[in-house]
Amino acid sequence: MQSTKSKMEWCLHNPERMKKVAPDKKKSKEHIEKAKHNLLAMDYNLKGGFSDWAVSQAYYAMYHSLLAVLFTQGFESKNHECTINAVEHLIETKEINLDKEIIAFIRTTEQMTKTL
């Protein structure tokens, strides 16, 4: 199994996947707002009986939250797998304080969206 460090290096090797940037609180906040928007849409779809769309919107809420975390740490990611791997790496290196189980849950949700 590939280490989070080597995954991070692979992601950073191509700026189309992910790149180091100056920490950006404004962009981080924009992603939090997008996550909130996706949660509202998720709730709306759940109430309307569209649980398949709700799962997708739940995933995107979590994904945008991860992008917000990355912007606070000085990373910009344009690749879902790199986003998840980068946050997992930051958890392992104790650069951020999040429970690693959150990453496992997000990975599961991402996989669920692919089967819908």
Side-chain angles (χ1 to χ4, degrees):
M1 180 177 229
Q2 205 176 15
S3 72
T4 62
K5 181 181 178 185
S6 63
K7 289 177 185 177
M8 186 80 160
E9 289 168 353
W10 179 83
C11 290
L12 288 168
H13 183 72
N14 182 342
E16 293 297 315
R17 290 188 288 255
M18 189 169 68
K19 61 185 174 183
K20 190 81 172 125
V21 296
D24 192 330
K25 289 183 181 182
K26 183 178 182 247
K27 285 189 179 181
S28 178
K29 185 174 174 16
E30 289 170 1
H31 282 288
I32 292 298
E33 292 305 314
K34 185 68 174 171
K36 289 178 184 178
H37 174 79
N38 281 303
L39 288 173
L40 289 172
M42 178 196 74
D43 186 55
Y44 179 82
N45 280 316
L46 277 174
K47 289 176 180 170
F50 299 101
S51 59
D52 53 342
W53 283 105
V55 170
S56 181
Q57 289 159 326
Y59 168 72
Y60 276 96
M62 292 182 279
Y63 176 70
H64 281 283
S65 297
L66 295 180
L67 289 173
V69 168
L70 289 181
F71 269 109
T72 66
Q73 298 299 307
F75 294 98
E76 179 180 5
S77 178
K78 296 181 183 201
N79 177 292
H80 287 241
E81 189 61 28
C82 287
T83 301
I84 295 168
N85 287 334
V87 172
E88 185 174 30
H89 177 71
L90 293 171
I91 292 169
E92 282 186 6
T93 57
K94 301 195 184 322
E95 294 175 58
I96 59 173
N97 184 20
L98 289 175
D99 190 332
K100 205 169 174 185
E101 289 182 20
I102 292 169
I103 299 301
F105 182 77
I106 293 171
R107 284 188 193 283
T108 301
T109 307
E110 178 190 32
Q111 291 167 357
M112 289 173 62
T113 63
K114 292 177 182 176
T115 62
L116 297 175

